[in-house]
Amino acid sequence: MSARMLNWIAALGVAALALAAFLPGAVDSYAFSFLFFVFLYAIMAQAWNLVAGFGGQVSLGNHAFFGLGAYTTAILWSGNYLWGSLYDAYPRIYYFDPVTMALGGLVAALAAVIIGLPLLSKLRGDYFALGTLGFGEIVKVVLINGGDFTGGAFGVVAPAGTFDTLLPHYLVGLGLMVGVALALRLLMRSRYGLALIAVRDDEMAASANGIDTLKVKVAAFAGSAFIAGVAGSLYTYYIFHVGPDSVFDLNWMLLPLMMTVVGGTGTLFGPILGAFVMYAVFDLARIAVPDYHPVISGLTIILAMLFLPKGLMRVRGR
């Protein structure tokens, strides 16, 4: 299948998903909620793909950035720390507020720069992965012990009275999924994208040719964290209660990782395709065989690794 044909199929798919939101009864259907979570995991998968698939730095800490974005949004939206009584008086003004969502991403990106500089300058491969995993646990403990500001072990409650329908969640999730894919496509065609690929393929050769490898890797790590933080912000608008056990769950790191690998690491559409396929498998197994759904999910991943080691997007290559 040619790249042009693939782009046309993707465009038609996005148009169909957007129009499906306005079908009678669609908002109240289970499929609507299912697709929202597919969009959310696809965003997280694309975030992981940026740093690991395109950058070659396997991170196990994206759940930390997801949680930071969620906490930032919940704290700002709860109304007592930065904006004062404005949130209390006009909570709907800040419902899906793009500034608040961007701040969630920026807080996560700033944390990624702070932790990425020492880790990426000293560690490689598995050691870097374990370092990011440890960072996630540190952030979780810090927020649990943050007192009234972070709500402790209970977390932060946002004003749930603003919820009327899942339609804005669906449309914002779809828009973010598509927007991240377009941004990554432009990024990987830029000079920075070429430098990132060069660092992934041969870091020593890239450095010998004048590329600041640390700067390139930290930028990818921060970009991935920003995307994950925005995804965490989106999740806050859905759940309204941000707690350490919900937003720092390792599933927010492991599932997007699996989805990206199954779809095709280092490809543009692989994380999105993997999110649709794997979340459908997970959800179907959870409904059909609730007692054994981890077994079904695990077998699916094993079979995918055995027969599709390079992902669904590279099937034609085999």
Side-chain angles (χ1 to χ4, degrees):
M1 186 183 298
S2 66
R4 177 172 294 183
M5 179 64 70
L6 190 62
N7 291 336
W8 274 108
I9 292 174
L12 290 174
V14 170
L17 289 170
L19 293 174
F22 301 99
L23 293 175
V27 178
D28 300 320
S29 67
Y30 172 76
F32 210 70
S33 175
F34 169 83
L35 287 172
F36 166 71
F37 275 97
V38 169
F39 301 155
L40 187 60
Y41 277 110
I43 296 167
M44 287 295 292
Q46 291 181 93
W48 189 81
N49 192 43
L50 172 59
V51 68
F54 293 124
Q57 308 298 319
V58 177
S59 170
L60 299 180
N62 269 22
H63 63 301
F65 305 125
F66 179 88
L68 284 172
Y71 261 93
T72 300
T73 299
I75 289 171
L76 292 177
W77 197 18
S78 62
N80 296 321
Y81 299 105
L82 183 60
W83 306 108
S85 60
L86 285 177
Y87 274 89
D88 298 326
Y90 308 104
R92 289 182 180 274
I93 295 177
Y94 303 97
Y95 197 40
F96 285 106
D97 175 24
V99 175
T100 302
M101 296 183 77
L103 285 174
L106 287 173
V107 168
L110 178 61
V113 172
I114 293 173
I115 193 65
L117 282 171
L119 288 183
L120 288 168
S121 62
K122 301 293 184 181
L123 303 178
R124 300 288 188 277
D126 296 341
Y127 297 100
F128 171 73
L130 291 174
T132 57
L133 181 62
F135 169 70
E137 295 306 304
I138 291 171
V139 172
K140 180 178 178 179
V141 172
V142 169
L143 290 176
I144 288 175
N145 293 279
D148 293 337
F149 185 74
T150 60
F154 178 76
V156 182
V157 178
T162 55
F163 180 82
D164 291 323
T165 172
L166 197 60
L167 181 61
H169 301 76
Y170 180 95
L171 294 177
V172 172
L174 176 61
L176 286 174
M177 181 186 74
V178 174
V180 170
L182 292 175
L184 290 180
R185 179 172 182 169
L186 293 175
L187 180 68
M188 299 317 297
R189 291 184 173 186
S190 67
R191 293 184 62 185
Y192 171 80
L194 295 175
L196 184 61
I197 296 295
V199 172
R200 179 196 67 184
D201 292 343
D202 193 329
E203 186 173 343
M204 292 184 64
S207 179
N209 282 276
I211 296 175
D212 188 338
T213 57
L214 178 60
K215 181 179 178 181
V216 169
K217 291 188 293 184
V218 170
F221 191 47
S224 174
F226 178 85
I227 298 170
V230 172
S233 178
L234 174 60
Y235 185 63
T236 300
Y237 289 115
Y238 173 81
I239 198 171
F240 293 105
H241 173 218
V242 173
D245 292 331
S246 61
V247 297
F248 289 102
D249 192 314
L250 285 177
N251 281 336
W252 291 114
M253 178 269 295
L254 292 173
L255 295 185
L257 187 157
M258 296 174 190
M259 292 168 177
T260 305
V261 172
V262 170
T265 306
T267 64
L268 184 63
F269 295 113
I272 298 175
L273 179 60
F276 273 90
V277 172
M278 294 306 295
Y279 193 72
V281 171
F282 295 150
D283 217 41
L284 182 62
R286 181 180 60 83
I287 295 171
V289 282
D291 294 333
Y292 299 98
H293 77 90
V295 177
I296 303 298
S297 302
L299 285 174
T300 304
I301 295 168
I302 291 172
L303 291 174
M305 294 301 96
L306 288 174
F307 299 103
L308 297 170
K310 294 185 178 180
L312 293 169
M313 291 300 298
R314 296 191 175 97
V315 169
R316 66 174 183 174
R318 296 193 69 200

